[in-house]
Amino acid sequence: MSSTRKDEHGRDLTSEERLTKHGTLIRKLSLDELPQLFNVLIGQMSFIGPRPLLPQYLPYYTDNENRRHEVKPGISGWAQVNGRNAVSWGERLALDVWYVDHQSMWLDLKIIFLTVLKVVKREGIGGAGRETSMPAFIGSSADYGEAPARANPSSDVDQGM
């Protein structure tokens, strides 16, 4: 998935290039997450759980990484309070699976507390020169320099982090 806006050379603009000043402020304050509250209210999401990712990533998950779907997706989760966009895909998905294996009310309360702290401190939002997005997921093996099992999506996309 890529933007419809292009630069003078016909290249798709990245999320950072497309964001207006107002959009940047909304992202910095994490106000872009508010529409997901509706999904929580109707029962499609939880406050805490692995962040939902794009459906086109499904073929790239290992069997273990796919376990992240054993619980409802959430607005915030263990991966978000342990690096957000600053960790690799492999680390992020491993943190999601760890959450699935250790889910409890106390862990959820800890994640809520840490989420508020991270938002206030603005920690872990970007990584490796990224302010708001992760590179497209092509399989966690790509984090370690291995060739992806499937075709590489062509552009960076916003992961809603």
Side-chain angles (χ1 to χ4, degrees), residues 70-111:
E70 293 175 9
V71 297
K72 282 186 181 182
I75 294 175
S76 185
W78 191 238
Q80 284 63 51
V81 298
N82 285 288
R84 211 166 169 183
N85 286 352
V87 298
S88 71
W89 278 110
E91 293 168 305
R92 183 175 174 180
L93 296 171
L95 289 165
D96 287 344
V97 173
W98 186 92
Y99 172 79
V100 169
D101 291 338
H102 296 89
Q103 184 180 15
S104 71
M105 180 181 72
W106 298 113
L107 180 58
D108 286 0
L109 290 173
K110 180 178 182 175
I111 293 170

Side-chain angles (χ1 to χ4, degrees), residues 21 87 89 120 136 142 155:
K21 288 181 182 183
V87 298
W89 278 110
V120 169
S155 65

Side-chain angles (χ1 to χ4, degrees), residues 48 81 107-119:
I48 304 300
V81 298
L107 180 58
D108 286 0
L109 290 173
K110 180 178 182 175
I111 293 170
I112 290 168
F113 173 76
L114 291 172
T115 297
V116 171
L117 198 62
K118 296 281 184 179
V119 169

Side-chain angles (χ1 to χ4, degrees), residues 129-149:
R130 298 182 311 266
E131 177 63 24
T132 59
S133 64
M134 296 272 298
F137 179 63
I138 56 173
S140 57
S141 62
D143 289 345
Y144 308 104
E146 300 172 23

